[in-house]
C-alpha cells in the first residue's frame, strides 16, 4: 500500500504542503493552570492540488477554449464510487456544502442543508443528463456551494427516444430491481413524453434483520411552442420502506460472532421483525419554462412543490424495563467487576442463544397482556374512566411531514464573445410538521400520553406529566399522535449575479449573492412542564447573508490550464442547531449569528488526447457554527441537551485525478485525496434538561485540534481498464484509506471529566484521546458488454441492444473495515471508566455485487 501512495504522489511531487500541528487533541491542564492551546504532531507532505476534466482546445489557436467541468472527472468518479463505501466526503465537507438542482429548482432541504436523494431513488434512467461543477468553479444555474453543484435535467424532451427494460440482482440493501422507461423524444408537433417506474426489494439485505421495499415512478411531458418556448412538467416520487441497521458495541459483535450484529430486530412467531422501520414518500412536481429570448439570451423559470412524510419507528415504553437487547446493564461487561460468576453465565448464554441478543417481542406482548388498568379522568373529562389492557411497550412512529414550495429564475446572456452574464433569483418556503404517533400497541388496548420522567421528578405536580395540557390524560390508540407535535416554518429569498470574462490567455469570474432567511417554531401541544413557551408561535429568527467569489484561469494553451478561485460567504444557522429542545419548548441558543465560510482553491488542469489530469489544493475555514446534541444522562436520570456554539473547522489538503491511455484499449486511472480536517476552536456548551427550565451551566469543550470524524482524510485509488472494440470492457481498481477518526463524545472532553485525575497520566490521556481507526483497503471490479441484435430480432423495427453490467466491490472480502460510528453520549463520572459506555460502530460490507441486464429499443 505504501508503494501505491508513492506511485500516485510521484505525479504531483512538486505540489507539496507541509504543516506542523502539535497534539491532535486539545489539552486540558490541571484545574489550577491556564487552559492553553497546545499543538503537537506532524502533517507530512500534503499535496495541495486537484483536477477537472475540461473541453479539448486547439493548441495553436489564439483564442484558447475555457475550462469546462464534466461528469467524467476521474477524481469525482473515484469519490462517488470507489471511495463511497467508507463514507468518504469530498474535502471533508458536510452535506450542506453540496447543492443539487432539478429542472431549474434547488432541492436541498432548508432545515439541515441536506439533499434528499431518496426522493428520486430508483429513477436512474431519467436522471442521466447532468451538469457538474466542482469546488468554486462558476456555473450557469446557481451561485453555488463550495463542495460541488449538480444540475439534473429530467425534462421529457431531453431524454433519448427509446424504451428500456432492465433487471438487476444484488446482495446489498436490496436483492432485486426491475425498471421500465419509455421516452418518445420531441415530436414534429412539439410534444415529448417520458414515463419510468421501478421496484427495488429484498426480504433481507446484507445485514441481518434488514429488508427493503421501494416503488419509484416518474412522468414528464414537454411542449415546445415555436422556436422560443419550452414548457415542461414532471412529477416523480419514491415510496420506500426498509428495516434499518443499528450501530453496535464491539462487545455485542463479539458475543454474536458477527461484525454485522443488528440490535434492532428479534424473532416474532419464528420470523424476524425489525423495530426500526424507515418509511419515506415525498413526491415532487416541477413546472419549468425555458424561454430562448435570442440566440445569446435565455431565461429559465421553474416552480416546484414537494409534500409527504418521512418517518422511522422505534420502541417506546412507560414504567417498564428497557427492551433494548444491547442495553449496557444487560451485558456481561456490566458485571465483570462486581460478580464475575454472573458475568460468565450471561456471556455464555448470550453466545449460545440468539434470542438473548435480540429484541424479545414475546416478552413485550406478555407484559402488555398482563397489565389491566383503569385510567381515571381519561381525555381530561372528569368522571370519565377507561379500563383495559394498558400498553407499557409500544412501537411509535416518528414522522416529519414536509410541504415545500420552490421558485427559481435564471437569466443567461452573452454580451459578446468575451463576456457572459448570469442573473438569478429564488424563493423557497418549507414547513415541517414533527410529531409521533402510535404504530403498534403490541397486544394492549391503549396507551396514555404521559411524560414518565416528569412524573418521577415532580411527583407533587399534577400537571407536569402531561404532554398536552389542552388534552390531559389522553387515551391513545393506533394512529393517534402523542408526545410532541410542532412545526418548523422557514423561508429563504435570494438573488445573485455572475460575470465571466474570457480573453486570449486569461478567464476571470466574479459572482455575488444576497439572501434573507427567516424561521420560527409553532407548537401544537401545551407541554405540562413548559406551558408558556411550548404552544403557539415562537419568536422569528431573521438572517441577512451574502457571498462573493472570484476566480482566474490562465490558459497556457488548449490543453494546459492553471486556475485559482476564492470565496467568502455567510449562511444562516440551521433550524435543528438553533432550538435546544424543540420537542418540548421554543428555547433556543443565545446570541445567534451567521456562520462564515472562507475558502480558496487553486490547481492545474491538463487535457490531452492521451492524458487528463486535474490537480487541486484547497484551504477552507468554517467559523461560528452551531450544534445541539441530546442524550440520557445517568447522574441526572433524564435527557440532557448540550447546545454547542463557537464551532470552528479547518479543512485543507489536495486532490489528484488522472486518466492515461496507454494503448491497445488499455488505460490507467487514479485518484488521491489527502486532507487534514480539524476543529480549531474550543466549543461552548450550554447544558439544559428536557424536564427543567433551569440552565445547568456552561462548559468548555476542549476539542481544539480534534479531527473531523466519519470520513477518511486520506483516500487513494488506482485502476487498470480495458475497453474492447467488440463492445465489452473490464476494470479493476485498488483503493486505500487512512486517517479515519471516531466521532467523539464532547462530555468526555471537559474539565469536569478529568477533574481530580493526575495531569497527563494514562487515565487522563485515555479519557481525552480521540480514537483513530486502522488504515484499510479494498479492490473492486467492474465490467460489461453490449450486443446489438440483428435486424430480424429488432423490436418494432428499431435498433435493439442488450447491455450487461457487473460490479463487484471488496473482492478480497475484507470484513474488518469500520465505516462509521460514534462514542456514546454518556460518561462514567464516578469511576471514570471509558469502557462502561464503549463506542458503537458500523462495519463495511464484505464482498458484494450488483449485476444488471438491460434491453433497449
Amino acid at each position: 500500500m505504501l508503494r501505491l501512495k508513492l506511485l500516485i504522489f510521484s505525479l504531483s511531487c512538486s505540489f507539496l504542503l507541509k504543516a506542523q500541528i502539535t497534539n491532535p487533541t486539545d489539552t486540558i491542564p490541571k484545574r489550577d493552570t491556564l487552559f492553553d492551546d497546545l499543538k503537537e504532531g506532524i502533517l507530512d507532505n500534503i499535496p495541495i492540488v486537484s483536477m477537472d476534466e475540461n473541453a479539448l482546445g486547439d493548441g495553436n489557436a489564439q483564442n484558447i477554449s475555457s475550462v469546462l467541468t464534466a461528469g467524467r472527472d476521474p477524481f469525482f468518479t473515484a469519490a462517488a464510487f470507489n471511495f463511497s463505501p467508507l463514507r468518504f466526503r469530498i474535502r471533508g465537507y458536510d452535506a450542506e456544502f453540496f447543492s443539487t438542482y432539478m429542472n431549474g429548482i434547488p432541492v436541498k432541504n432548508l432545515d439541515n442543508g441536506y439533499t434528499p436523494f431518496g426522493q428520486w431513488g430508483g429513477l436512474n434512467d431519467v436522471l442521466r443528463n447532468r451538469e457538474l461543477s466542482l469546488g468554486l468553479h462558476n456555473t450557469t444555474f446557481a451561485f453555488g456551494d463550495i463542495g460541488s453543484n449538480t444540475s439534473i435535467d429530467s425534462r421529457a424532451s431531453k431524454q433519448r427516444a427509446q424504451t428500456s427494460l432492465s433487471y438487476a440482482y444484488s446482495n446489498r440493501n436490496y436483492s432485486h430491481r426491475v425498471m421500465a422507461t419509455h421516452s418518445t423524444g420531441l415530436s414534429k408537433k412539439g410534444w415529448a413524453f417520458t414515463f419510468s417506474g421501478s421496484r427495488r426489494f429484498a426480504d433481507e439485505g446484507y445485514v441481518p434483520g434488514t429488508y427493503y421495499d421501494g416503488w419509484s415512478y416518474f412522468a414528464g411531458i414537454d411542449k415546445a411552442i415555436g422556436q422560443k418556448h419550452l414548457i415542461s412538467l414532471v412529477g416523480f416520487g419514491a415510496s420506500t420502506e426498509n428495516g434499518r441497521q443499528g450501530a453496535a458495541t464491539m462487545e455485542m459483535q463479539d458475543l454474536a460472532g458477527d461484525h454485522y450484529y443488528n440490535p434492532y430486530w428479534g424473532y416474532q412467531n419464528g420470523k424476524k421483525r425489525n423495530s426500526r422501520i424507515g418509511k419515506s414518500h415525498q413526491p415532487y412536481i416541477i413546472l419549468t419554462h425555458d424561454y430562448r429570448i435570442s440566440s445569446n439570451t435565455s431565461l429559465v423559470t421553474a416552480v416546484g412543490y414537494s409534500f409527504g412524510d418521512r418517518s422511522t419507528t422505534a420502541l417506546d415504553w412507560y414504567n417498564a424495563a428497557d427492551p433494548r437487547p444491547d442495553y449496557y446493564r444487560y451485558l456481561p461487561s456490566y458485571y465483570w467487576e462486581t460478580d464475575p460468576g454472573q458475568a460468565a453465565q450471561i456471556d455464555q448464554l448470550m453466545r449460545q442463544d440468539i434470542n438473548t441478543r435480540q429484541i424479545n417481542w414475546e416478552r413485550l406482548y406478555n407484559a402488555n397482556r398482563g397489565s389491566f388498568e383503569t385510567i381515571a379522568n381519561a381525555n381530561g373529562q372528569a368522571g370519565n374512566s377507561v379500563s383495559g389492557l394498558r400498553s407499557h411497550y409500544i412501537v411509535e412512529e416518528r414522522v416529519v411531514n414536509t410541504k415545500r414550495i420552490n421558485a427559481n429564475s435564471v437569466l443567461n446572456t452573452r454580451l459578446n464573445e468575451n463576456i457572459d452574464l448570469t442573473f438569478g433569483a429564488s424563493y423557497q418556503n418549507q414547513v415541517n410538521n414533527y410529531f409521533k404517533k402510535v404504530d403498534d400497541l403490541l397486544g394492549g388496548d391503549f396507551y396514555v400520553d404521559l411524560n414518565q420522567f416528569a412524573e418521577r421528578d415532580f411527583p407533587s405536580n399534577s400537571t407536569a406529566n402531561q404532554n398536552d395540557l389542552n388534552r390531559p390524560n389522553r387515551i391513545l390508540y393506533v394512529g393517534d399522535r402523542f408526545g410532541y407535535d410542532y412545526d418548523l416554518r422557514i423561508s429563504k429569498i435570494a438573488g445573485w449575479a455572475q460575470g465571466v470574462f474570457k480573453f486570449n490567455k486569461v478567464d476571470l469570474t466574479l459572482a455575488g449573492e444576497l439572501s434573507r432567511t427567516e424561521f420560527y417554531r409553532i407548537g401544537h401541544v401545551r407541554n405540562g412542564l413548559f406551558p408558556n413557551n411550548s404552544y403557539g408561535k415562537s419568536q422569528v429568527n431573521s438572517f441577512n447573508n451574502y457571498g462573493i467569489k472570484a476566480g482566474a484561469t490562465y490558459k497556457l494553451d488548449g490543453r494546459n490550464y492553471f486556475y485559482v478561485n476564492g470565496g467568502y460567504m455567510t449562511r444562516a444557522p440551521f433550524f435543528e442547531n438553533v432550538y435546544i429542545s424543540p420537542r418540548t419548548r421554543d428555547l433556543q441558543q443565545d446570541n445567534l449569528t451567521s456562520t462564515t465560510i472562507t475558502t480558496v482553491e487553486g490547481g492545474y488542469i491538463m487535457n490531452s488526447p492521451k492524458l487528463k489530469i486535474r490537480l487541486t489544493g484547497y484551504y477552507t475555514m468554517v467559523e461560528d457554527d452551531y450544534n445541539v446534541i441530546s442524550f440520557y444522562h445517568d447522574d441526572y436520570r433524564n435527557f440532557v441537551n448540550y447546545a454547542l456554539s463557537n464551532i470552528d473547522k479547518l479543512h485543507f489538503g489536495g486532490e489528484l485525478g488522472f486518466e492515461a491511455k496507454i494503448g491497445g484499449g488499455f488505460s490507467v486511472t487514479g485518484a488521491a485525496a489527502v486532507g487534514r480536517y480539524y476543529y480549531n476552536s474550543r466549543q461552548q456548551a450550554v447544558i439544559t434538561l428536557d424536564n427543567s427550565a433551569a440552565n445547568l451551566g456552561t462548559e468548555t469543550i476542549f476539542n481544539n485540534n480534534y479531527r473531523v470524524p466519519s470520513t477518511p482524510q486520506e483516500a487513494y485509488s488506482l485502476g487498470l481498464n480495458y475497453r474492447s472494440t467488440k463492445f465489452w470492457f473490464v476494470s479493476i481498481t485498488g483503493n486505500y484509506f487512512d486517517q479515519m477518526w471516531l466521532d467523539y463524545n464532547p462530555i468526555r472532553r471537559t474539565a469536569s471529566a478529568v477533574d481530580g485525575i493526575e495531569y497527563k497520566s494514562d487515565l487522563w490521556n485515555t479519557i481525552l484521546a480521540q480514537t483513530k481507526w486502522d488504515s484499510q483497503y479494498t479492490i473492486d471490479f467492474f465490467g460489461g458488454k453490449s450486443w446489438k441484435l440483428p435486424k430480424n430480432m429488432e423490436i418494432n423495427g428499431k435498433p435493439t441492444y442488450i447491455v450487461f453490467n457487473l460490479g463487484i466491490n471488496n473482492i478480497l472480502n475484507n470484513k474488518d473495515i469500520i465505516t462509521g460510528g460514534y462514542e456514546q453520549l454518556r460518561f462514567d463520572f464516578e469511576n471514570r471508566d471509558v469502557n462502561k459506555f464503549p463506542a458503537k460502530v458500523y462495519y463495511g460490507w464484505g464482498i458484494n455485487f450488483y449485476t444488471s441486464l438491460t434491453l433497449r429499443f
Side-chain angles (χ1 to χ4, degrees):
M1 292 305 165
L2 179 59
R3 292 180 179 178
L4 176 59
K5 285 187 179 182
L6 293 175
L7 175 60
I8 294 175
F9 275 106
S10 67
L11 296 171
S12 58
C13 60
S14 61
F15 295 88
L16 300 177
L17 172 67
K18 260 192 181 179
Q20 290 190 342
I21 296 186
T22 62
N23 204 353
T25 62
D26 198 4
T27 299
I28 302 179
K30 301 175 184 178
R31 292 301 296 269
D32 58 352
T33 64
L34 293 176
F35 293 132
D36 297 326
D37 288 324
L38 302 178
K39 298 182 178 181
E40 299 173 355
I42 264 192
L43 300 181
D44 298 322
N45 296 337
I46 301 174
I48 59 169
V49 273
S50 168
M51 45 190 189
D52 255 291
E53 184 174 356
N54 55 290
L56 287 173
D58 183 354
N60 297 317
Q62 284 187 323
N63 295 312
I64 301 171
S65 65
S66 301
V67 177
L68 303 176
T69 56
R72 291 190 59 198
D73 176 272
F75 175 79
F76 187 81
T77 299
F81 297 99
N82 303 108
F83 297 163
S84 61
L86 273 82
R87 305 185 185 187
F88 174 81
R89 302 200 306 267
I90 293 176
R91 302 183 185 181
Y93 295 158
D94 292 331
E96 68 194 71
F97 295 116
F98 299 83
S99 286
T100 301
Y101 285 68
M102 179 78 74
N103 292 359
I105 65 165
V107 293
K108 190 164 65 171
N109 287 329
L110 294 178
D111 54 332
N112 56 18
Y114 284 48
T115 297
F117 294 103
Q119 290 184 354
W120 52 84
L123 296 173
N124 310 53
D125 280 354
V126 295
L127 303 176
R128 301 187 187 279
N129 299 321
R130 302 183 180 215
E131 179 183 345
L132 169 69
S133 174
L134 299 175
L136 296 172
H137 288 285
N138 58 285
T139 77
T140 60
F141 56 87
F143 174 77
D145 275 309
I146 66 173
S148 72
N149 301 280
T150 302
S151 176
I152 302 173
D153 191 343
S154 64
R155 292 177 292 178
S157 61
K158 306 299 181 180
Q159 307 292 335
R160 180 184 300 175
Q162 67 174 12
T163 298
S164 175
L165 306 173
S166 68
Y167 169 76
Y169 180 69
S170 174
N171 70 335
R172 299 173 181 170
N173 285 327
Y174 56 84
S175 300
H176 309 276
R177 188 200 71 184
V178 291
M179 181 184 297
T181 302
H182 176 70
S183 297
T184 64
L186 194 63
S187 71
K188 293 180 180 180
K189 294 184 178 181
W191 291 96
F193 300 89
T194 293
F195 303 95
S196 185
S198 73
R199 188 190 178 201
R200 298 163 290 163
F201 58 100
D203 291 332
E204 185 167 56
Y206 191 97
V207 175
T210 63
Y211 70 91
Y212 197 96
D213 190 12
W215 297 80
S216 304
Y217 54 89
F218 177 96
I221 178 173
D222 282 16
K223 180 65 172 77
I225 304 174
Q227 299 296 317
K228 290 183 176 291
H229 298 274
L230 178 66
I231 306 295
S232 303
L233 178 66
V234 300
F236 58 87
S239 176
T240 61
E241 178 179 319
N242 64 296
R244 296 190 169 181
Q245 172 194 7
T249 64
M250 292 185 177
E251 178 184 11
M252 284 303 304
Q253 293 171 358
D254 176 64
L255 292 170
D258 187 0
H259 282 331
Y260 309 106
Y261 165 75
N262 182 6
Y264 287 165
W265 67 273
Y267 283 107
Q268 182 178 348
N269 298 325
K271 294 183 178 180
K272 292 180 180 179
R273 178 179 178 180
N274 195 307
S275 65
R276 294 290 183 99
I277 306 300
K279 299 178 182 179
S280 179
H281 187 206
Q282 296 179 312
Y284 234 119
I285 301 171
I286 303 173
L287 178 65
T288 306
H289 175 218
D290 193 337
Y291 177 28
R292 300 295 175 181
I293 300 173
S294 69
S295 59
N296 291 324
T297 304
S298 66
L299 176 66
V300 177
T301 302
V303 178
Y305 180 62
S306 175
F307 60 96
D309 294 344
R310 67 180 190 274
S311 67
T312 183
T313 63
L315 291 172
D316 188 33
W317 57 98
Y318 174 84
N319 286 346
D322 196 315
R324 296 170 297 177
D326 58 344
Y327 181 50
Y328 77 102
R329 291 177 180 265
Y330 300 158
L331 305 184
S333 58
Y334 184 73
Y335 299 95
W336 279 120
E337 291 189 5
T338 59
D339 192 343
Q342 184 177 4
Q345 290 180 353
I346 295 174
D347 185 281
Q348 182 180 13
L349 181 63
M350 295 189 77
R351 291 181 187 276
Q352 293 177 349
D353 185 358
I354 190 173
N355 294 299
T356 62
R357 303 191 301 266
Q358 306 298 150
I359 294 173
N360 190 330
W361 289 104
E362 183 179 0
R363 184 180 69 82
L364 306 186
Y365 274 87
N366 289 338
N368 289 342
R369 289 166 178 161
S371 181
F372 186 89
E373 298 184 25
T374 298
I375 306 300
N377 300 322
N379 297 319
Q381 300 175 9
N384 180 36
S385 62
V386 173
S387 299
L389 298 178
R390 178 179 181 176
S391 291
H392 286 261
Y393 296 100
I394 68 166
V395 176
E396 66 179 18
E397 185 176 7
R398 304 165 185 170
V399 183
V400 181
N401 174 270
T402 298
K403 296 180 178 67
R404 184 176 178 188
I405 298 174
N406 288 356
N408 191 48
S409 187
V410 177
L411 176 74
N412 280 281
T413 184
R414 171 162 291 181
L415 295 185
N416 53 52
E417 63 180 9
N418 299 113
I419 301 176
D420 292 337
L421 298 179
T422 306
F423 303 91
S426 65
Y427 173 76
Q428 303 176 68
N429 183 279
Q430 182 173 328
V431 178
N432 286 359
N433 178 211
Y434 300 83
F435 62 92
K436 294 197 300 183
K437 64 180 181 180
V438 178
D439 182 75
D440 192 337
L441 290 167
L442 300 181
D445 294 328
F446 62 86
Y447 199 53
V448 186
D449 191 12
L450 297 176
N451 180 343
Q452 62 176 318
F453 297 110
E455 284 184 345
R456 182 197 63 206
D457 295 342
F458 305 97
S460 60
N461 188 332
S462 61
T463 62
N465 67 336
Q466 297 296 330
N467 284 321
D468 187 3
L469 286 173
N470 296 335
R471 296 173 294 176
N473 294 332
R474 190 159 60 96
I475 304 302
L476 303 171
Y477 303 98
V478 172
D480 287 345
R481 296 190 181 197
F482 75 104
Y484 58 81
D485 187 351
Y486 65 94
D487 283 356
L488 149 70
R489 302 199 174 189
I490 183 169
S491 62
K492 180 179 180 180
I493 187 170
W496 61 282
Q498 173 184 277
V500 179
F501 310 94
K502 303 176 183 179
F503 305 101
N504 290 345
K505 284 288 189 175
V506 176
D507 286 352
L508 302 175
T509 63
L510 179 65
E513 181 184 50
L514 296 175
S515 66
R516 180 176 176 85
T517 302
E518 294 185 347
F519 58 82
Y520 57 92
R521 175 190 182 275
I522 294 182
H524 299 300
V525 296
R526 191 181 302 277
N527 188 280
L529 289 169
F530 309 100
N532 297 322
N533 63 335
S534 57
Y535 185 76
K537 182 178 178 180
S538 72
Q539 73 176 70
V540 178
N541 294 282
S542 301
F543 299 88
N544 295 317
N545 297 107
Y546 62 92
I548 185 170
K549 65 179 184 178
T553 300
Y554 175 69
K555 301 174 284 188
L556 182 64
D557 52 38
R559 295 175 180 173
N560 295 275
Y561 303 82
F562 296 88
Y563 69 91
V564 62
N565 300 306
Y568 180 84
M569 55 202 73
T570 67
R571 67 153 173 79
F574 292 117
F575 166 87
E576 60 183 26
N577 297 329
V578 168
Y579 289 93
I580 295 175
S581 180
R583 303 173 303 279
T584 59
R585 57 197 186 276
D586 60 16
L587 179 67
Q588 64 182 48
Q589 299 217 41
D590 295 328
N591 303 316
L592 291 171
T593 61
S594 292
T595 299
T596 62
I597 301 102
T598 307
T599 183
V600 63
E601 64 182 17
Y604 166 71
I605 294 171
M606 178 180 181
N607 196 3
S608 68
K610 292 188 177 181
L611 179 63
K612 301 179 190 296
I613 297 176
R614 181 168 66 85
L615 192 59
T616 301
Y618 59 89
Y619 187 94
T620 301
M621 295 185 297
V622 180
E623 299 174 292
D624 296 323
D625 210 351
Y626 300 87
N627 193 17
V628 175
I629 59 174
S630 300
F631 56 95
Y632 186 84
H633 197 293
D634 284 274
D635 289 347
Y636 292 114
R637 297 175 63 202
N638 211 316
F639 282 95
V640 169
N641 307 297
Y642 266 48
L644 301 175
S645 60
N646 192 41
I647 301 176
D648 296 346
K649 289 186 286 187
L650 174 63
H651 301 248
F652 64 94
E655 300 163 342
L656 165 69
F658 71 88
E659 179 181 7
K661 297 179 181 179
I662 56 179
F666 287 94
S667 63
V668 176
T669 56
V674 182
R676 293 295 182 264
Y677 322 135
Y678 290 94
Y679 291 98
N680 63 335
S681 66
R682 289 177 169 178
Q683 301 168 13
Q684 299 298 311
V686 176
I687 308 167
T688 59
L689 291 177
D690 259 12
N691 282 355
S692 172
N695 184 331
L696 301 182
T698 300
E699 289 243 39
T700 297
I701 310 299
F702 294 91
N703 66 327
N704 197 29
N705 299 322
Y706 276 56
R707 300 294 186 91
V708 173
S710 305
T711 179
Q713 299 196 10
E714 293 185 18
Y716 308 86
S717 177
L718 187 64
L720 178 65
N721 316 284
Y722 176 75
R723 185 170 294 274
S724 170
T725 57
K726 296 184 178 180
F727 307 104
W728 62 271
F729 70 94
V730 292
S731 67
I732 189 163
T733 305
N735 311 291
Y736 181 81
F737 306 90
D738 202 359
Q739 298 295 317
M740 297 174 287
W741 300 80
L742 179 67
D743 196 358
Y744 61 89
N745 174 8
I747 305 166
R748 272 176 55 182
R749 281 74 187 185
T750 58
S752 57
V754 293
D755 186 25
I757 298 176
E758 182 183 351
Y759 179 66
K760 290 290 187 178
S761 65
D762 289 343
L763 179 57
W764 192 93
N765 287 321
T766 298
I767 292 173
L768 297 179
Q770 184 180 12
T771 301
K772 177 180 179 293
W773 302 122
D774 293 337
S775 58
Q776 292 293 348
Y777 62 89
T778 61
I779 296 179
D780 304 326
F781 168 86
F782 188 62
K785 180 172 174 56
S786 62
W787 296 266
K788 183 178 181 181
L789 300 185
K791 285 194 173 184
N792 60 354
M793 298 182 65
E794 290 180 349
I795 300 176
N796 295 332
K798 298 179 180 179
T800 303
Y801 301 88
I802 294 177
V803 180
F804 172 77
N805 288 306
L806 172 64
I808 305 175
N809 289 80
N810 195 7
I811 60 178
L812 297 183
N813 201 29
N814 181 3
K815 293 186 176 182
D816 296 323
I817 304 174
I818 294 177
T819 60
Y822 52 89
E823 292 177 351
Q824 295 189 62
L825 295 174
R826 292 182 172 188
F827 183 63
D828 180 9
F829 282 95
E830 181 178 357
N831 300 310
R832 313 301 173 90
D833 180 7
V834 298
N835 296 316
K836 183 175 181 179
F837 304 110
K840 293 189 173 185
V841 299
Y842 296 96
Y843 278 84
W845 298 333
I847 186 170
N848 60 92
F849 67 89
Y850 186 92
T851 183
S852 65
L853 187 66
T854 303
L855 175 67
R856 292 176 181 161
F857 57 92

